[in-house]
Amino acid sequence: MRIVFLGPPGAGKGTQAALLSKKFSIPHVSSGDLLREAVTEKSAIGLKAKGYMDRGELVPDEIITRIIIDRISRGDAKTGFILDGFPRTERQAKTLDESLSKVSLSLDAVIYFETSKNVCVERLAGRRVCGKCGVNYHIKNMPPRKDGICDHCQGELYQRNDDKVDTIENRLTVYSQMTKPLIDYYKNGGLLKEVSGDLELEEAQRDLSDILREAQAA
Ligand code: AP5
């Protein structure tokens, strides 16, 4: 089952993908996480990507596309994947289609998280991430048991550089200009399903699970 999660920053794509990848036993492939790993490792790609990410701009298509195509070609993605944060431009979407079709594969569904702007801003500004295991929290909606400390590994929580208010605004603008047109791209391809990103975690997860079960059965 090959699924894409599409939606604005803060829609809950990463949170839901992490839970559903366990439930459906397919890898969660997050373009943002892969780029942040490269930044932490200070690899050549990470050094190139960092500035774009800190400003809330998209990293160049050729960099991210190579990373994603490599990742979904690995053995654990043979039975499928949830792509979170990729594609984000029409060029990325076309390259993904072409590379899947070279191995006689295609996407099963693209799930669009329709989310209000104020919800996105509130979620991003309150997000905290574990520096050790990467789990996401929210200071109000999903607080850790102990302030600033991860429930799972006791790692310290930090705020992402791009979760500062000015950068959030820029990310939302970039999303509207560069990524939102993919809604029509996938609608025209007959792949688009829609959920509300404004819903509470469990409700949204129920709707997403239904769509994933349908895709699995098809
Ligand atoms: P990336 O890491 O992909 O960031 P994003 O798309 O901006 O997505 P987010 O992680 O911010 O939002 P999300 O929808 O996953 O929300 P989450 O579940 O975390 O990308 C970062 C940067 O990398 C980009 O700006 C760009 O520079 C670069 N990049 C990445 N991919 C690229 C690509 N394809 N092309 C070019 N550049 C690329 O939730 C947010 C918060 O809300 C959390 O605190 C969570 O706890 C909380 N929350 C989640 N769901 C709910 C809910 N239902 N109710 C209440 N709170 C909730």
Side-chain angles (χ1 to χ4, degrees), residues 5 9 24 27 34 39 51 57 60-61 78 84 111 128-129 134 137 142 146 155 165 167 170 177 190 214 216:
F5 281 3
F24 287 85
L34 291 168
V39 170
E57 292 166 11
D61 285 337
K78 286 243 171 337
D84 155 26
I111 308 181
R128 298 294 181 271
V129 184
Y137 294 87
M142 295 173 206
K146 193 169 166 208
V165 174
T167 318
N170 195 34
Q177 290 169 350
E214 241 175 65
Q216 204 171 36

Side-chain angles (χ1 to χ4, degrees), residues 20 23-24 204-215:
L20 292 164
K23 190 164 171 180
F24 287 85
Q205 205 184 135
R206 250 194 318 273
D207 292 352
L208 287 161
S209 295
D210 288 346
I211 296 174
L212 261 61
R213 267 193 293 273
E214 241 175 65

Side-chain angles (χ1 to χ4, degrees), residues 108-170:
D108 294 301
V110 174
I111 308 181
Y112 167 48
F113 288 55
E114 218 229 323
T115 316
S116 334
K117 185 180 172 189
N118 60 327
V119 168
C120 294
V121 173
E122 191 268 336
R123 286 191 189 159
L124 294 174
R127 172 166 56 192
R128 298 294 181 271
V129 184
C130 175
K132 216 162 141 192
C133 72
V135 166
N136 273 346
Y137 294 87
H138 187 280
I139 50 173
K140 276 201 223 131
N141 306 340
M142 295 173 206
R145 283 193 289 271
K146 193 169 166 208
D147 209 20
I149 302 292
C150 178
D151 294 347
H152 304 282
C153 72
Q154 276 65 57
E156 253 181 68
L157 306 187
Y158 72 97
Q159 184 174 32
R160 271 170 47 175
N161 278 345
D162 59 349
D163 279 346
K164 309 278 158 62
V165 174
D166 287 351
T167 318
I168 291 174
E169 278 296 330
N170 195 34

Side-chain angles (χ1 to χ4, degrees), residues 7-17 30-33 35-36 49 52-61 64-65 68 84-89 92 113 119-120 122-124 126-128 136-139 141-142 160 162-163 171 197-202 204:
K13 306 178 300 293
T15 304
Q16 296 289 354
S30 157
S31 52
D33 287 350
L35 286 166
R36 278 184 290 279
Y52 294 98
M53 296 172 78
D54 285 347
R55 291 189 296 274
E57 292 166 11
L58 296 185
V59 307
D61 285 337
I64 187 62
T65 303
I68 294 292
D84 155 26
F86 183 95
R88 255 169 152 104
T89 65
Q92 291 178 16
F113 288 55
V119 168
C120 294
E122 191 268 336
R123 286 191 189 159
L124 294 174
R127 172 166 56 192
R128 298 294 181 271
N136 273 346
Y137 294 87
H138 187 280
I139 50 173
N141 306 340
M142 295 173 206
R160 271 170 47 175
D162 59 349
D163 279 346
R171 285 162 67 199
D198 288 351
L199 294 177
E200 303 240 325
L201 186 85
E202 286 78 16

